[in-house]
Amino acid sequence: MHSQASAAAEKAVVAPYGSWESPISAAAVSAAGRTVEGLAVAGDGRLLWVETRPEEGGRAVLVKEAAEPGGDAVDVTPEGFAVRSLAQEYGGGAFAVQGDVVVFSNYSDQRLYKQTIGDNSAQPLTPDYTGSVVRYADGVYDPHFCRYVTIMEDHRKDSSNPMTTIAAVTISDGDVNEPTVLVSGNDFYAFPRIDPIKRRMTWIEWSNPSMSWDKAQLWVGYFSEKGEVHNKICIAGGDPTLVESPTEPKWTSKGELFFITDRESGFWNIYKWDEESNLIVQLYSLDAEFSKPMWIFGVSSYGFLGKDDMSNKIVFCYRQNGRSCAGVLDHDSGSFSELDIPFSSVTNIVSGDGFFYVEGASATLPVSIAKVTLDEKRKTATNFSIVWSSSEDVMQYASYFSLPEFMEFPTVVPGQKAYAYFYAPHNHIFQGSSDEKPPLLVRTHGGPTDEARGVLDLGVQYWTSRGWAFVDVNYGGSTGYGRKFRERLLGQWGVVDVNDCCSCATFLVETGRVDAQRLCVTGESAGGFTTLACLAFRQIFKAGMHKFEAYYIDNLVGLDDKVVPPDQARKIYKALKEKGLPVALVEYEGEQHGFRKAENIKFTLEQQMVFFARLVGNFKVADDITPIKIENFD
């Protein structure tokens, strides 16, 4: 145990890696766990967003930007409601706004409700089906027929194989009505978007066994006088000689259709539909990703910066070589202007007239929402202001932060590279001995087509400030590097990801950065599968932690998880216990696929830290943590 008083010393105190004291506690990590789940601009130009709150049991609340800079944001969602969809279990796209009226999906019953901003009451729009068996997401207003068009996922006939359609919900008469199905027949739908000028709609659809980022189709359908969809046209994805995954269709105020697809190059770039010729035109070619896999509804990677004369200006974000960039494209001239903003990772953009809001982060900024104002020509950012931060107090820990190093490392395939972000141990009070290398924790992201992004995360700094090295691996199959890199994992899940994680750890050992005898691995969801496979089929790692599905060591399970049922974890726990391996099972009431409650986030992190310390050893953690019992170990 070492005192913070040593901070006054001219030289850092030498102490074993892993034993350092740090003010970045597990409680601080859970308090910084607020997330954003959707952005939209209200009629008055102010931003609305959904904010999840671990301190309220993970409740998701719709919030509106303050009327004046520096003011307090205002909660829109009434008490007793939470804005969260369970469509496809992962949700997203849980609300839409038109003027000052919001339609949202309520978490407890999954019904759609209508609410006027500033009014603390909400009016139900859809029937009350027992058991939340009908779910809605990714909805938009239809100005032609005064209705709400949404993805509808119906579990009434088959809970394991629900029927997904595009449906219309009446919002004008105040009555609760059964939704009207507009488009059906395929397995999955997303992005229903209404042309503001003509009576027509676009959408994305795809079929099993493909995921939307493997192969999908973009359609346009025209509305009849009664609002039914007819005269459907496949815009992209229908050519059997081309494999592509179109996504994010949007109409301009003039009725022009834009979207993103990855045909031919394998990188998601921006295209426009030429209606007269029924051809699509690429607007800007770059070996970069202008979108990402649609694990959740409501993704928004670009927007239009105005109407009429300025409708030709598109603000967008793209991902290239481990970094996000934002820019403005004049789609008439093809000219492109990169914008200088502090975020190195951008995840969502929504636009207004001459400004846009961006969700992003960097190595020194936590996940935040910023408002970016542009000059008259829409080429330069003139102002960047933070509207919301996931952790307003995070900078008090700045002297403890370890900055990520983007690195390439060789895989088992000769000449092939994979990528990672490496964080060295860092604490301005302590340092390790010259004859000791730090323990390493390898994190495998979920998806498995997700991506580690090298941004400020107190969950990482919790480890590095205590003397651990940490690495976030983008193994083959990760997004952000194009289709070819992503498809390394096809038919090879549990092989390529495992090999790359092991190769990354080995690379760090061989370059003298970490201790070969103290390598640990952790992951959530699909990353948990990779963790388990690393431990089962390789001898590289000494210990691992697998959240939600099963653990080798410490099996933490959400009992309400529909993506990975708890029974899977119980079976693995039993098998490991019978084999005499160290294992524990902790089950949490009320958690689903991803922990949302502050107390569970805190408990999990502390138990992971103390278990690794006990197992890989050579140090004692400075924190006062009572460990849970480990079968076949205690």
Side-chain angles (χ1 to χ4, degrees):
M1 191 84 58
H2 307 281
S3 170
Q4 290 277 43
S6 62
E10 292 183 3
K11 186 177 180 180
V13 173
V14 175
Y17 286 110
S19 71
W20 304 349
E21 277 188 348
S22 170
I24 305 175
S25 64
V29 174
S30 65
R34 292 191 173 198
T35 60
V36 178
E37 295 187 352
L39 310 175
V41 178
D44 60 2
R46 288 156 60 192
L47 185 69
L48 292 170
W49 68 91
V50 174
E51 172 184 303
T52 64
R53 297 173 175 173
E55 72 276 15
E56 295 184 29
R59 179 173 175 244
V61 179
L62 190 62
V63 182
K64 188 174 185 181
E65 179 186 5
E68 299 294 334
D72 293 330
V74 179
D75 285 2
V76 174
T77 305
E79 288 293 329
F81 290 88
V83 182
R84 181 183 171 195
S85 171
L86 292 177
Q88 293 186 6
E89 301 301 338
Y90 293 97
F95 81 99
V97 61
Q98 180 73 28
D100 64 349
V101 176
V102 172
V103 172
F104 67 91
S105 178
N106 183 48
Y107 172 58
S108 62
D109 57 12
Q110 290 297 290
R111 300 173 72 185
L112 288 178
Y113 288 79
K114 181 173 72 171
Q115 178 194 1
T116 300
I117 298 173
D119 187 347
N120 286 325
S121 62
Q123 170 194 340
L125 297 175
T126 53
D128 186 7
Y129 306 107
T130 303
S132 304
V133 292
V134 179
R135 305 166 184 182
Y136 310 90
D138 209 10
V140 291
Y141 287 83
D142 180 353
H144 307 295
F145 297 96
C146 195
R147 60 187 180 180
Y148 190 72
V149 175
T150 178
I151 303 301
M152 183 171 72
E153 185 180 271
D154 192 339
H155 294 246
R156 284 177 290 182
K157 291 184 178 179
D158 187 346
S159 60
S160 63
N161 186 28
M163 178 182 295
T164 302
T165 59
I166 300 176
V169 177
T170 302
I171 59 175
S172 59
D173 58 13
D175 294 330
V176 173
N177 297 295
E178 187 77 23
T180 301
V181 173
L182 299 177
V183 181
S184 63
N186 214 330
D187 294 318
F188 301 100
Y189 296 92
F191 296 109
R193 300 294 182 259
I194 312 298
D195 183 347
I197 304 299
K198 298 180 180 179
R199 291 184 173 184
R200 58 184 176 179
M201 174 178 73
T202 187
W203 68 89
I204 299 291
E205 64 177 65
W206 67 100
S207 308
N208 280 322
S210 296
M211 303 296 279
S212 64
W213 53 88
D214 295 327
K215 188 176 182 180
Q217 294 180 336
L218 170 66
W219 288 78
V220 169
Y222 292 80
F223 293 133
S224 68
E225 290 299 319
K226 296 181 178 179
E228 300 166 336
V229 175
H230 65 149
N231 294 339
K232 297 188 292 184
I233 303 171
C234 184
I235 305 301
D239 185 344
T241 66
L242 284 176
V243 177
E244 63 179 319
S245 51
T247 186
E248 295 195 57
K250 295 184 180 183
W251 300 96
T252 69
S253 60
K254 295 179 179 179
E256 300 168 301
L257 178 61
F258 292 79
F259 61 98
I260 295 172
T261 192
D262 61 346
R263 59 168 50 194
E264 296 180 347
S265 73
F267 287 91
W268 275 308
N269 281 195
I270 298 181
Y271 287 75
K272 179 183 177 181
W273 177 44
D274 184 325
E275 182 180 5
E276 185 175 343
S277 64
N278 194 28
L279 297 175
I280 66 172
V281 180
Q282 187 172 13
L283 299 184
Y284 192 73
S285 177
L286 191 67
D287 285 351
E289 300 281 51
F290 285 70
S291 189
K292 57 189 176 183
M294 198 207 76
W295 277 105
I296 63 172
F297 289 105
V299 172
S300 180
S301 305
Y302 70 101
F304 307 108
L305 285 169
K307 299 179 179 180
D308 302 324
D309 292 341
M310 286 298 174
S311 66
N312 65 330
K313 305 289 187 180
I314 302 174
V315 61
F316 58 84
C317 61
Y318 65 84
R319 191 84 176 152
Q320 186 179 51
N321 299 326
R323 181 179 174 83
S324 294
C325 296
V328 175
L329 175 68
D330 183 322
H331 64 77
D332 287 339
S333 67
S335 64
F336 163 72
S337 304
E338 186 170 331
L339 299 174
D340 183 16
I341 61 174
F343 289 153
S344 60
S345 172
V346 175
T347 48
N348 283 297
I349 283 178
V350 293
S351 56
D353 189 2
F355 64 90
F356 64 95
Y357 293 93
V358 55
E359 177 191 349
S362 73
T364 55
L365 287 172
V367 173
S368 308
I369 303 171
K371 183 177 183 179
V372 181
T373 305
L374 302 174
D375 65 345
E376 289 186 1
K377 294 183 178 180
R378 311 292 196 259
K379 290 185 176 182
T380 305
T382 58
N383 187 59
F384 178 94
S385 58
I386 299 294
V387 173
W388 173 88
S389 172
S390 59
S391 179
E392 296 177 353
D393 302 325
V394 71
M395 295 314 297
Q396 65 180 303
Y397 307 118
S399 60
Y400 295 86
F401 290 163
S402 174
L403 298 181
E405 173 192 342
F406 180 69
M407 62 180 233
E408 297 181 351
F409 61 89
T411 72
V412 296
V413 178
Q416 189 183 82
K417 302 286 187 181
Y419 309 94
Y421 293 94
F422 175 72
Y423 301 79
H426 179 76
N427 184 316
H428 70 283
I429 299 173
F430 300 103
Q431 66 180 22
S433 165
S434 60
D435 60 358
E436 182 192 13
K437 300 294 183 185
L440 171 70
L441 183 59
V442 175
R443 182 162 68 180
T444 64
H445 62 67
T449 53
D450 203 348
E451 177 192 6
R453 286 180 168 247
V455 299
L456 181 57
D457 176 358
L458 286 190
V460 173
Q461 305 300 330
Y462 176 83
W463 295 90
T464 56
S465 64
R466 284 167 171 76
W468 281 75
F470 192 103
V471 66
D472 249 339
V473 182
N474 280 323
Y475 48 77
S478 305
T479 194
Y481 302 91
R483 178 183 282 268
K484 186 176 180 180
F485 187 86
R486 196 169 65 246
E487 290 186 345
R488 287 184 189 177
L489 207 60
L490 291 181
Q492 295 292 306
W493 191 20
V495 178
V496 168
D497 49 329
V498 170
N499 285 340
D500 287 357
C501 288
C502 292
S503 294
C504 183
T506 300
F507 176 78
L508 291 171
V509 169
E510 292 175 347
T511 53
R513 301 191 184 194
V514 300
D515 186 347
Q517 301 305 311
R518 294 189 288 173
L519 305 178
C520 301
V521 60
T522 187
E524 302 180 1
S525 189
F529 169 79
T530 302
T531 296
L532 189 64
C534 284
L535 294 163
F537 305 118
R538 300 291 187 275
Q539 302 300 317
I540 296 291
F541 299 102
K542 303 300 180 183
M545 183 175 184
H546 174 184
K547 299 179 187 176
F548 310 144
E549 290 165 90
Y551 280 51
Y552 179 77
I553 299 169
D554 198 2
N555 198 333
L556 307 185
V557 180
L559 292 183
D560 290 347
D561 193 342
K562 299 299 190 297
V563 178
V564 184
D567 187 56
Q568 290 185 17
R570 295 177 186 133
K571 290 178 180 178
I572 295 175
Y573 165 76
K574 181 180 178 181
L576 292 174
K577 182 179 177 182
E578 290 174 351
K579 286 181 177 291
L581 297 173
V583 64
L585 177 67
V586 179
E587 298 183 339
Y588 295 127
E589 294 284 350
E591 291 284 18
Q592 295 179 315
H593 195 67
F595 289 175
R596 290 172 172 258
K597 298 180 180 180
E599 63 271 23
N600 295 341
I601 297 170
K602 175 179 179 293
F603 181 83
T604 301
L605 193 55
E606 289 179 337
Q607 290 304 320
Q608 185 177 15
M609 170 67 73
V610 76
F611 185 88
F612 286 157
R614 295 171 69 195
L615 193 64
V616 304
N618 300 337
F619 62 87
K620 181 181 179 180
V621 297
D623 307 80
D624 185 14
I625 301 170
T626 302
I628 60 174
K629 181 180 179 181
I630 309 298
E631 299 290 345
N632 302 321
F633 187 82
D634 292 318

